[in-house]
């Protein structure tokens, strides 16, 4: 082999070896880049997933807070409307009671209530009370029941209260108590709870 041939052979071997080394280094570098890229993608996906979950939780909390505030506002509005409705109904009932108290049926009802209390009391001493506005019916009630009737110092709106002295029992058939019980038990969704 001549020197030129040796140089050409050497040059070819060096170039082939350099090319193999370069190709191996490039393949290694490409593999490293692919691995780094895959790791970056996985970390980015995990970070995005965690961020998404965090933001989704924050949005859920915000929605729950807004729903809670809306619910409280609606309950307050409903309460105010129910209270207004109750007041209107009670005002209407009071007007109707005034009309009813002008009838003979009301006097008959007072007498029936008084006799019922008298029957319940049996031989026990008792007091009967009527509303101050029923003062005109006092004599009729006393004569029909056969017992003293007292004008109450508290408004009853109508009806009668009886107190059994020995047992210290209040029998309350006053319209004011009936209205107050109705007001407390009134339910807009289901009507009267009784």
């Amino acid at each position: 082999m001549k020197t030129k041939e040796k140089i050409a052979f050497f040059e070819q071997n060096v170039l082939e070896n350099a090319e193999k080394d370069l190709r191996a280094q490039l393949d290694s570098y490409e593999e490293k880049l692919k691995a780094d890229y895959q790791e970056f993608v996985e970390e980015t996906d995990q970070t995005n997933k965690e961020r998404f979950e965090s933001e989704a939780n924050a949005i859920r909390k915000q929605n729950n807070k807004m729903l809670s505030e809306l619910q409280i506002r609606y309950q307050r509005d409903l309460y105010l409307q129910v209270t207004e409705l109750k007041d209107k109904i009670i005002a209407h009932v009071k007007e109707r009671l005034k009309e009813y108290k002008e009838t003979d049926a009301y006097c008959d009802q007072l007498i029936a209530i008084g006799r019922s209390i008298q029957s319940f009391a049996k031989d026990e001493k008792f007091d009967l009370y009527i509303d101050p506005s029923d003062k005109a019916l006092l004599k009729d009630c006393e004569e029909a029941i056969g017992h003293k009737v007292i004008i109450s110092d508290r408004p009853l709106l109508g009806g009668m209260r009886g107190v059994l002295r020995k047992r210290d029992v209040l029998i309350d058939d006053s319209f004011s108590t009936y209205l107050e019980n109705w007001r407390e038990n009134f339910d807009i969704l289901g009507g009267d709870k009784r």
Side-chain angles (χ1 to χ4, degrees), residues 18 24 32 36 47-48 66 69 82 103 118 125 128 136 165-166 173 182 185:
K32 177 73 172 133
D36 287 349
T47 302
N48 287 339
M66 288 170 47
E69 289 171 357
V82 167
T103 66
Q118 187 176 41
K125 291 186 178 186
L128 296 175
R165 292 184 195 169
K166 184 176 179 184
D173 274 327
W182 176 84
N185 295 316

Side-chain angles (χ1 to χ4, degrees), residues 110-128:
L110 282 178
I111 293 168
I113 293 169
R115 287 180 177 159
S116 173
I117 293 170
Q118 187 176 41
S119 171
F120 184 77
K122 296 183 181 168
D123 295 332
E124 185 177 343
K125 291 186 178 186
F126 63 96
D127 296 317
L128 296 175

Side-chain angles (χ1 to χ4, degrees), residues 7 16 18 20 26 30 32 35 41 48 56 65-66 96 105 127 134 144 150 156 165 168 170 180-181 183-184 192 194:
I7 291 177
E16 283 176 6
K20 282 181 188 174
L26 282 174
E30 188 177 341
K32 177 73 172 133
V41 167
N48 287 339
K65 181 181 175 186
M66 288 170 47
R96 297 296 309 265
D127 296 317
D134 295 332
I150 304 166
L156 307 178
R165 292 184 195 169
D168 198 27
L170 171 67
E180 191 55 40
N181 288 339
R183 175 188 279 281
E184 289 175 11
D192 195 348
R194 286 184 276 161

Side-chain angles (χ1 to χ4, degrees), residues 80-173:
L80 292 174
Q81 289 177 357
V82 167
T83 301
E84 182 181 342
L85 178 62
K86 284 180 186 179
D87 292 343
K88 285 180 181 179
I89 291 172
I90 287 177
H92 179 72
V93 168
K94 285 180 178 179
E95 287 301 314
R96 297 296 309 265
L97 283 175
K98 282 182 186 177
E99 295 170 11
Y100 174 66
K101 287 174 68 170
E102 299 296 321
T103 66
D104 291 337
Y106 176 65
C107 185
D108 293 342
Q109 182 180 6
L110 282 178
I111 293 168
I113 293 169
R115 287 180 177 159
S116 173
I117 293 170
Q118 187 176 41
S119 171
F120 184 77
K122 296 183 181 168
D123 295 332
E124 185 177 343
K125 291 186 178 186
F126 63 96
D127 296 317
L128 296 175
Y129 297 92
I130 60 173
D131 188 72
S133 65
D134 295 332
K135 191 174 185 176
L137 303 174
L138 184 69
K139 293 265 189 237
D140 293 339
C141 288
E142 287 179 337
E143 288 174 9
I145 298 168
H147 191 277
K148 180 172 175 47
V149 177
I150 304 166
I151 303 294
S152 176
D153 58 351
R154 298 181 194 136
L156 307 178
L157 294 179
M160 186 178 282
R161 285 185 181 152
V163 176
L164 307 183
R165 292 184 195 169
K166 184 176 179 184
R167 290 183 271 178
D168 198 27
V169 173
L170 171 67
I171 301 171
D172 193 346
D173 274 327

Side-chain angles (χ1 to χ4, degrees), residues 9-37:
F9 178 74
F10 178 72
E11 189 179 320
Q12 187 179 356
N13 272 341
V14 168
L15 285 175
E16 283 176 6
N17 284 337
E19 191 176 315
K20 282 181 188 174
D21 286 346
L22 185 60
R23 190 166 278 133
Q25 285 179 355
L26 282 174
D27 287 345
S28 172
Y29 182 69
E30 188 177 341
E31 297 255 333
K32 177 73 172 133
L33 279 176
K34 283 182 181 178
D36 287 349
Y37 176 73

